[in-house]
Amino acid sequence: MSLTELQTPTTTEVRVGRLEDVPPGEGRAFTAGDTQVAVFRLRDGSLHATQASCPHAGGPLADGQTDARVLVCPLHLFGFRWSDGASTSGAGPLRVYAVRESDGDLLVTL
Ligand code: FES
């Protein structure tokens, strides 16, 4: 095993809830073990997931507004790109997670 393989962090896919728990166009917060995640279901059917708490000052990101590119925190309106979690307005980056639906379950890779 190479040094690169040893340093690669392990990831785990975790069931956090059901697709119907998240109305189209909205986000919801879920608990996955010790991790709080916010899952968004866009009106086009796509899913996005991130940490539930904003890196700026802890705002509830599941209550934020989003489109396919940017999530806006409801507390101070900082924006974050879904593509890489980077802030569009000067805050620290978000952690973004892969998320998919399987048989109605929401599966987030932590
Ligand atoms: S807490 Fe999210 S922008 Fe300030």
Side-chain angles (χ1 to χ4, degrees):
M1 186 176 298
S2 74
L3 185 58
T4 302
E5 289 169 327
L6 286 171
Q7 292 175 335
T8 301
T10 58
T11 58
T12 305
E13 193 170 59
V14 178
R15 178 195 176 281
V16 297
R18 298 281 297 168
L19 182 64
E20 64 261 26
D21 295 336
V22 186
E26 297 188 21
R28 291 290 185 270
F30 297 94
T31 300
D34 295 337
T35 305
Q36 300 282 317
V37 299
V39 176
F40 289 82
R41 179 181 178 190
L42 275 59
R43 293 195 184 279
D44 67 2
S46 64
L47 297 169
H48 295 280
T50 184
Q51 63 193 69
S53 179
C54 180
H56 176 235
L61 290 172
D63 296 335
Q65 297 292 311
T66 191
D67 62 18
R69 293 184 317 105
V70 175
L71 169 64
V72 177
C73 177
L75 219 53
H76 306 106
L77 306 180
F78 282 31
F80 302 91
R81 290 192 309 242
W82 283 119
S83 60
D84 60 3
S87 174
T88 60
S89 40
L94 277 184
R95 229 171 295 128
V96 291
Y97 302 110
V99 57
R100 68 184 180 96
E101 179 268 336
S102 178
D103 294 329
D105 288 330
L106 292 170
L107 303 173
V108 177
T109 301
L110 301 175

